[in-house]
Amino acid sequence: MHDGNNRHDHSRATEPASIEEAGVNLLWTSGWDSTFQLLQLLLKHRLPVTPYYLEDSSRASTSTELQAMQRIRDALYDAFPETRALLRPLRRFRVADLDSDPDISEALRTIRSRVYLGSQYEWLALFCKHHGMADIELSVHIDDKVQAVLAPFVRAYDQGGKYRSFRMDPCHADKAEYTLFRYFSFPLFQIDKRAMARDAERADWSWIMDMTWFCHRPVRGMPCGACAPCVYTIDEGLAWRVPRSRRALSYLYRKLALPLKPPLRAALASVRRR
């Protein structure tokens, strides 16, 4: 009897935890997309969430992003007390502490030979590989450049019976895209920012979404209008989030400076290959 009970207990201990128990790992930056997914997980699906944040010392917005996350957390606790038990402490890691990996670096170079992707995708993959994380949510969405890159390589799946998400299909394991993005799931793969805004308004979350932050180079506490996230925010239908004066500057930047970036990158890559 005693041995039988031990075997039974061991069997139960090795059963995988349900999503309601284990929760969801989410890369959260305080930005529009990841905050929208955070609200869906907490308020719509009622799931525990462990948020992760990677600190990039070269980014001037780090302190602003952390402050925004704290404001959002405080607002959730006040308006939705049940989230105190669901939203777990933020887990912070430094990009500077990540070890390099030749396979991941080569994967990014291969993709960049066809289309430019930011270096954050390399260090996000490095982080996941280093910490043995095989399923963390990355808020890739429609109109996001990387969404178009990954579209031929993903497959849909059911996330614990709660919602539909997407992952890299293992049948593409020989592709650079799989090497770089195999660690992530993409719950926002079929929605754009404007649809998120409409959904947030219907759910009465707009006031929380207004607390999000996106600019990488804030000027006197306001979005700069010229960094990549500011440009994407304007191009993807949320121009109202950038101050009017900065929108004018952004227009000039996108018309005059932005078109020069691709040839400059190509020239720099050519020099490095010599």
Side-chain angles (χ1 to χ4, degrees):
M1 176 72 74
H2 181 71
D3 290 343
N5 285 340
N6 281 344
R7 283 195 298 271
H8 178 69
D9 290 343
H10 177 73
S11 173
R12 289 177 60 85
T14 57
E15 291 177 1
S18 68
I19 192 172
E20 288 85 356
E21 294 170 330
V24 176
N25 296 321
L26 174 69
L27 287 163
W28 187 30
T29 64
S30 80
W32 181 271
D33 315 311
S34 59
T35 299
F36 178 77
Q37 178 59 7
L38 178 76
L39 297 180
Q40 288 202 121
L41 292 169
L42 294 174
L43 303 178
K44 180 179 179 180
H45 304 302
R46 307 290 179 176
L47 291 172
V49 180
T50 301
Y52 287 76
Y53 179 76
L54 272 66
E55 298 181 27
D56 180 4
S57 61
S58 67
R59 184 177 296 178
S61 59
T62 296
S63 63
T64 306
E65 291 173 356
L66 290 169
Q67 290 166 13
M69 281 188 265
Q70 188 58 54
R71 284 196 301 272
I72 292 168
R73 182 184 289 269
D74 291 343
L76 282 168
Y77 287 172
D78 287 344
F80 308 98
E82 68 274 16
T83 60
R84 290 180 179 272
L86 296 175
L87 182 52
R88 294 165 178 169
L90 179 67
R91 301 200 64 191
R92 294 166 56 180
F93 298 85
R94 299 192 330 145
V95 173
D97 293 337
L98 297 174
D99 295 327
S100 61
D101 182 276
D103 293 335
I104 290 174
S105 297
E106 179 59 28
L108 180 63
R109 281 193 295 269
T110 298
I111 299 171
R112 277 182 169 178
S113 69
R114 301 187 296 269
V115 60
Y116 182 78
L117 293 184
S119 58
Q120 72 268 27
Y121 296 112
E122 179 176 8
W123 44 258
L124 287 171
L126 290 172
F127 166 77
C128 291
K129 186 171 184 177
H130 177 77
H131 290 279
M133 300 192 70
D135 187 12
I136 186 168
E137 293 195 342
L138 181 62
S139 299
V140 172
H141 60 281
I142 292 175
D143 293 330
D144 190 341
K145 183 189 297 183
V146 74
Q147 196 264 6
V149 171
L150 298 182
F153 305 104
V154 300
R155 60 176 174 83
Y157 75 102
D158 181 78
Q159 177 63 285
K162 291 291 186 176
Y163 55 95
R164 192 184 196 213
S165 189
F166 292 79
R167 286 191 64 86
M168 299 299 290
D169 192 326
C171 75
H172 300 295
D174 61 332
K175 301 293 194 299
E177 288 81 1
Y178 185 87
T179 299
L180 198 61
F181 291 96
R182 62 181 296 182
Y183 307 98
F184 311 108
S185 56
F186 311 109
L188 303 181
F189 206 76
Q190 291 188 323
I191 188 172
D192 62 22
K193 287 183 185 292
R194 284 164 289 197
M196 293 181 218
R198 291 192 295 269
D199 286 353
E201 185 173 4
R202 281 193 292 267
D204 196 23
W205 300 341
S206 295
W207 63 280
I208 301 178
M209 295 296 289
D210 288 343
M211 299 180 188
T212 60
W213 184 258
F214 54 92
C215 177
H216 283 178
R217 296 193 297 269
V219 178
R220 293 189 292 276
M222 303 295 287
C224 71
C227 70
C230 280
V231 171
Y232 298 150
T233 294
I234 293 170
D235 288 345
E236 293 172 17
L238 300 183
W240 56 269
R241 303 210 69 212
V242 178
R244 187 180 298 275
S245 61
R246 290 288 163 180
R247 268 181 266 163
L249 175 65
S250 178
Y251 177 81
L252 294 174
Y253 170 77
R254 285 179 290 146
K255 290 295 183 182
L256 301 177
L258 200 56
L260 299 176
K261 280 194 169 185
L264 287 174
R265 288 194 191 108
L268 181 58
S270 177
V271 169
R272 287 173 175 168
R273 288 195 294 266
R274 292 176 185 172

